[in-house]
Amino acid sequence: MRKNIVAGNWKMNNDLAQTETLLTALKAQKITSDAEVMVAPSFTNLWSAYNTLKNTNIEVAAQNMHFAANGAYTGEVSASMLKSVGVKTVILGHSERRAYFNETDELLAQKVDAALANDMRVIFCFGEELSDRKANNHEAVVGDQIKNALFHLDAPAFQNIVLAYEPVWAIGTGETASPEQAQDMHAFIRQTLVDKYGADVANSVSILYGGSVKPNNAQEIFSKPDVDGGLIGGASLNAEDFFAIVNAF
Ligand code: PEP
């Protein structure tokens, strides 16, 4: 059966001292739900986070990686580098990477392959723009994002794939998809997996919702049958808020 997961994406926030302060506050919190918990600090703080959290139930994830094993890619970080600092999960395809760093579905397919080839788990993000939703095109856009980046994979690969539906219009805006909008899209995503890989695979993949999830709306969103957790931006920078979300299951 699929897992409930709550992952915090810290984005480009927190220097080393701030990271240590937040990690200490996170360690003091109690997980009272069945959710798997992870946080994704910036590259420079992954090793420190790994060491601070290694005997806890909080996993350290990375926010991005390059598809190549090594070489002349100035400023980039590879899967094996991440693994060497204890990171086993990587977020790929976040809308900020797509929008500001021109990451395409084709590039993301290469990154997904590199992560899986290195036995890493991928949190694969996708979601429509507001204009897509207004044009009632949101399912087609999301369906294409999933197919283009993931449907070359074989069924067993999905053991290491977590999906994160993040409508771009809801990220960092204070605007959330309603629980019904989230459920409708998650059901569509699961059906897309059923059509390609069958019900067993589709029912084993966790589908997270991301977009202005806060302590006051998490429970209702997580209560929906196809919502298996959240990818949390802003609220993951505060230990109490993040754990209120973790424990909203
Ligand atoms: C995100 O960046 O993945 C995100 C969901 O951000 P926020 O929770 O701040 O909307």
Side-chain angles (χ1 to χ4, degrees), residues 9 11 94 96 166 170-173 210-214 231-235:
N9 173 15
K11 312 193 185 190
H94 192 279
E96 290 152 14
E166 300 204 300
I171 295 181
T173 59
S212 299
V213 177
K214 307 287 177 203
L231 182 55
I232 317 300

Side-chain angles (χ1 to χ4, degrees), residues 1-5 34 36 121 158-159 161-162 190 199-207 224-228:
M1 201 47 201
R2 59 187 182 259
K3 297 171 193 149
N4 291 323
I5 298 171
D34 66 354
E36 230 183 87
R121 177 163 60 164
F158 278 80
Q159 287 166 13
I161 301 280
V162 173
R190 207 174 301 284
D200 285 354
V201 171
N203 288 326
S204 70
V205 175
S206 299
I207 308 176
K224 295 296 176 192
D226 286 296
V227 177
D228 308 310

Side-chain angles (χ1 to χ4, degrees), residues 86-162:
V87 173
K88 297 193 188 108
T89 300
V90 60
I91 298 170
L92 293 176
H94 192 279
S95 62
E96 290 152 14
R97 301 285 326 164
R98 293 175 188 259
Y100 307 141
F101 303 97
N102 301 320
E103 295 201 358
T104 61
D105 293 342
E106 292 67 34
L107 175 82
L108 291 168
Q110 287 181 274
K111 291 190 176 202
V112 168
D113 288 346
L116 296 179
N118 281 279
D119 293 322
M120 292 182 73
R121 177 163 60 164
V122 173
I123 301 179
F124 182 74
C125 306
F126 52 87
E128 82 282 2
E129 308 266 349
L130 188 56
S131 54
D132 301 320
R133 188 161 276 269
K134 283 191 170 152
N136 203 26
N137 211 19
H138 44 292
E139 289 189 348
V141 167
V142 162
D144 282 349
Q145 288 172 323
I146 295 171
K147 287 173 194 163
N148 292 341
L150 300 180
F151 274 15
H152 62 289
L153 298 173
D154 60 12
F158 278 80
Q159 287 166 13
N160 283 319
I161 301 280
V162 173

Side-chain angles (χ1 to χ4, degrees), residues 2-247:
R2 59 187 182 259
K3 297 171 193 149
N4 291 323
I5 298 171
V6 178
N9 173 15
W10 292 6
K11 312 193 185 190
M12 197 172 73
N13 292 297
N14 292 330
D15 64 16
L16 182 58
Q18 291 163 329
T19 295
E20 289 297 339
T21 302
L22 181 50
L23 293 172
T24 304
L26 288 171
K27 273 176 78 168
Q29 301 288 321
K30 273 212 161 44
I31 304 176
T32 58
S33 72
D34 66 354
E36 230 183 87
V37 183
M38 20 184 141
V39 292
S42 60
F43 286 141
T44 55
N45 298 321
L46 289 173
W47 178 232
S48 161
Y50 170 74
N51 280 302
T52 305
L53 296 177
K54 69 181 165 202
N55 295 318
T56 73
N57 289 331
I58 307 173
E59 186 186 332
V60 178
Q63 299 175 20
N64 178 35
M65 57 166 249
H66 197 268
F67 59 80
N70 49 51
Y73 297 100
T74 301
E76 293 291 331
V77 168
S78 70
S80 63
M81 290 172 186
L82 294 177
K83 285 182 74 182
S84 74
V85 294
V87 173
K88 297 193 188 108
T89 300
V90 60
I91 298 170
L92 293 176
H94 192 279
S95 62
E96 290 152 14
R97 301 285 326 164
R98 293 175 188 259
Y100 307 141
F101 303 97
N102 301 320
E103 295 201 358
T104 61
D105 293 342
E106 292 67 34
L107 175 82
L108 291 168
Q110 287 181 274
K111 291 190 176 202
V112 168
D113 288 346
L116 296 179
N118 281 279
D119 293 322
M120 292 182 73
R121 177 163 60 164
V122 173
I123 301 179
F124 182 74
C125 306
F126 52 87
E128 82 282 2
E129 308 266 349
L130 188 56
S131 54
D132 301 320
R133 188 161 276 269
K134 283 191 170 152
N136 203 26
N137 211 19
H138 44 292
E139 289 189 348
V141 167
V142 162
D144 282 349
Q145 288 172 323
I146 295 171
K147 287 173 194 163
N148 292 341
L150 300 180
F151 274 15
H152 62 289
L153 298 173
D154 60 12
F158 278 80
Q159 287 166 13
N160 283 319
I161 301 280
V162 173
L163 299 180
Y165 167 58
E166 300 204 300
V168 178
W169 49 273
I171 295 181
T173 59
E175 179 107 21
T176 37
S178 69
E180 291 70 31
Q181 284 174 318
Q183 168 56 26
D184 286 351
M185 183 57 93
H186 283 222
F188 167 78
I189 293 162
R190 207 174 301 284
Q191 187 58 46
T192 303
L193 293 178
V194 170
D195 294 344
K196 170 79 176 170
Y197 293 101
D200 285 354
V201 171
N203 288 326
S204 70
V205 175
S206 299
I207 308 176
L208 316 185
Y209 169 79
S212 299
V213 177
K214 307 287 177 203
N216 64 3
N217 60 23
Q219 194 164 25
E220 207 186 344
I221 296 170
F222 293 170
S223 72
K224 295 296 176 192
D226 286 296
V227 177
D228 308 310
L231 182 55
I232 317 300
S236 72
L237 297 171
N238 176 289
E240 286 77 26
D241 286 354
F242 185 57
F243 266 73
I245 295 169
V246 166
N247 292 328

